Amino acid sequence: MKTVGSNLATLLTEQEDPLHRSVAPFLRYIAMLIAVILLFSWLFHIIMAAEGQDHSWFTGVYWTLTVMTTLGFGDITFQSDLGRVFSAVVLLTGLIMLLILLPFLFIRAVYAPWLEQRSRARVRALRNVPANVSGHVLICSNDPIALALVHRLEIAGVPAYVIVPDSEEALRLRDAGMPVITGNIDSSDTFAAAGVDRAKLVFANSNDPQNSSIILTVRERAEQVPIIALAESHDSVDILELSGATHVLPLKRQLGEHLANRVSAGIAHANVIGRFHGMLLAEFPVHDTPLQGRTIRDVGLREAIGVTVIGVWQKGRMLPARPDMQLSSMCVLVVIGTEAQINELNELLVIYNVNPNPVIVLGGGKVGRAAARALQARDIPVHIVERAPELAGKVESCADRHIVGDAADRSVLADAGVEHAPSILLTTHDDAMNVYLTVYCRRLNPDARILSRVTHERNVEAIQRAGADFVLSYASLGVHSVLSIVQERELVVLGEGVDLFYIPVPASLAGRTLAESAIGERTGLNVIAIQHDDRVQASPQADDTLMKGTMLITMGGTQAREKFAETFS
């Protein structure tokens, strides 16, 4: 990094630099200051000679500097009134020229232009993606999805850049470690500088009108690059597709549908939460089934029907499935198996946990209504609590019953039937309200399965501590959706803080068995499958040998993935 001195030298030597003109007045002031010091030094000798004292020329300069800087050592003094008046004049001149004018002029003419020049140089460096970078992802807005997406893409080995129009914000984000470029997102020059023709994908994550403009702008420079666009409104999906988007994600609707898919209602059954390589991922509650109070080993699902328990949801957190883990009434098992095996599991569960009461949805916004429609499609009765009467027409069309009122009011919740509901969905956009309602609903109905949306990932742990059984954030769903497209894999949303990672077997593990590798114990990742070329072996055995060139399909959090890289690199 350049020093102030080196930048000052640059300013002095580059005559054509506009900053040179701002330094010139400061240099003239320095010359005048030197002249004043020499003048006072000469007058010092004149007055000292009149008093009969004799001093060297250097002593005159020394005295002038000590007086002008207010040091005043007192080792050299005048005896006459004329000398004392002269000393006062020198002192006052020093106060004005050295302690007031000099710092002001230095900051205004030298330091501030240096900072501005340095800032402009840093901004210029943020206007382009390096020419040697290709296969990158361009993210068009710094929203809650952007930071998490950049981190996940980094883990996957895909470079990503966030386009930030404001240069000051871009510098702040760059200093915080986020890869950014700055420029107007409605300018084709910005995307040209971002190397859009070399990009793997463009993610338009602004509002609907702006996203339409972004898509059209990108298409001016790159007709073939894939574009993913977010859609706030359902009506915007067609418009964004007509604008040229390759994929359109109505995330709020999808968020409601994913929450509805995790609801426990009616007879016990396994909800399919994802598919990959011909296998199904599903989950089902243990509550009021023969599995309650037993260990995973004693349950013997793998031996009985072939499905494998790969994780256990407990108090909103995914725990690795250990053979000796005892299953409580609040546990939800995550299993993997073929479609036939999942159907056989449902045949075993069909007689348990009968609860015909309606599911309660708190919040009749876009997420809440999407969840209600998904539940009605499964013939599950739904009651929606919404305090805004202007939404009555929209809410009543997708709910069996609409209760107008504040969800924080106990009488409103009682009227909705919260005390007997099998599941409660919290879909308001206010995280603090969702935390409050989680605590409230858990107290009113300890056995209900509580599912909540969250806007900011930082509030996930708070809602889990409050008692939510399942939490899904808008940002997390957006990250999973984009990653599935980037990696050309099916979308699998396990839950907050849990992901599927495809990891090539490192050289340090090649030739060792799965048990010898101790991946779970050492990193926290759970190996759920091993991929050999196009063949996937689900639920690998402990004595399976890990071969070089194969792919581990693991489940866990990003911290566990980073720990794997550190441990086995």
Side-chain angles (χ1 to χ4, degrees), residues 7 25 39 42 76 90 94 150 250 286 288 295 350 383 413 421 432 444 466 491 509 520 525 530:
N7 279 273
L39 174 63
W42 178 70
I76 304 173
V90 174
V150 167
V286 172
D288 283 347
T295 65
V350 70
H383 290 178
L413 292 179
L444 294 176
L491 175 62
L509 292 180
L525 288 178
I530 299 176

Side-chain angles (χ1 to χ4, degrees), residues 263-271 283-285 287-289 345-357 359 378-381 422-423:
V263 160
S264 299
I267 58 176
H269 68 285
N271 294 321
E283 64 179 26
F284 65 94
H287 183 66
D288 283 347
T289 69
L345 175 62
N346 285 329
E347 292 176 2
L348 295 177
L349 298 173
V350 70
I351 62 174
Y352 302 112
N353 194 30
V354 178
N355 188 338
N357 293 304
V359 171
R378 294 165 51 190
D379 295 325
I380 297 175
S423 295

Side-chain angles (χ1 to χ4, degrees), residues 33 36-37 40-41 44 48 59-78 83-99:
L33 180 61
V36 170
I37 293 172
F40 285 158
S41 300
F44 168 82
M48 279 294 183
T59 302
V61 175
Y62 162 78
W63 178 87
T64 301
L65 291 175
T66 58
V67 174
M68 290 184 73
T69 57
T70 71
L71 292 176
F73 292 126
D75 52 341
I76 304 173
T77 59
F78 289 101
R84 293 188 177 96
V85 170
F86 174 67
S87 298
V89 172
V90 174
L91 177 64
L92 292 174
T93 304
L95 285 173
I96 295 172
M97 296 191 71
L98 289 178
L99 303 184

Side-chain angles (χ1 to χ4, degrees), residues 377-393:
R378 294 165 51 190
D379 295 325
I380 297 175
V382 183
H383 290 178
I384 295 183
V385 177
E386 171 56 51
R387 64 183 177 184
E390 60 269 19
L391 292 178

Side-chain angles (χ1 to χ4, degrees), residues 32-157:
M32 183 182 70
L33 180 61
I34 294 173
V36 170
I37 293 172
L38 294 176
L39 174 63
F40 285 158
S41 300
W42 178 70
L43 291 175
F44 168 82
H45 285 286
I46 298 297
I47 298 174
M48 279 294 183
E51 292 185 0
Q53 300 186 53
D54 185 32
H55 297 281
S56 66
W57 277 102
F58 181 77
T59 302
V61 175
Y62 162 78
W63 178 87
T64 301
L65 291 175
T66 58
V67 174
M68 290 184 73
T69 57
T70 71
L71 292 176
F73 292 126
D75 52 341
I76 304 173
T77 59
F78 289 101
Q79 303 301 320
S80 64
D81 289 341
L82 176 61
R84 293 188 177 96
V85 170
F86 174 67
S87 298
V89 172
V90 174
L91 177 64
L92 292 174
T93 304
L95 285 173
I96 295 172
M97 296 191 71
L98 289 178
L99 303 184
I100 298 176
L101 291 179
L102 181 62
F104 172 77
L105 287 174
F106 176 78
I107 292 173
R108 182 169 183 177
V110 179
Y111 188 68
W114 170 73
L115 285 179
E116 184 179 354
Q117 183 192 54
R118 185 169 178 263
S119 177
R120 283 204 301 266
R122 295 182 65 203
V123 170
R124 283 196 298 270
L126 296 180
R127 292 196 180 278
N128 299 278
V129 170
N132 61 343
V133 174
S134 61
H136 53 290
V137 173
L138 296 176
I139 304 171
C140 298
S141 177
N142 180 32
D143 66 351
I145 299 176
L147 179 59
L149 180 58
V150 167
H151 183 53
R152 280 302 313 275
L153 288 171
E154 181 183 355
I155 292 176

Side-chain angles (χ1 to χ4, degrees), residues 275 278-280 305-307 337-348:
R275 301 169 181 267
M279 307 296 291
L280 301 185
I305 58 178
V307 298
T338 64
E339 185 172 0
Q341 290 168 343
I342 299 300
N343 290 335
E344 187 175 353
L345 175 62
N346 285 329
E347 292 176 2
L348 295 177

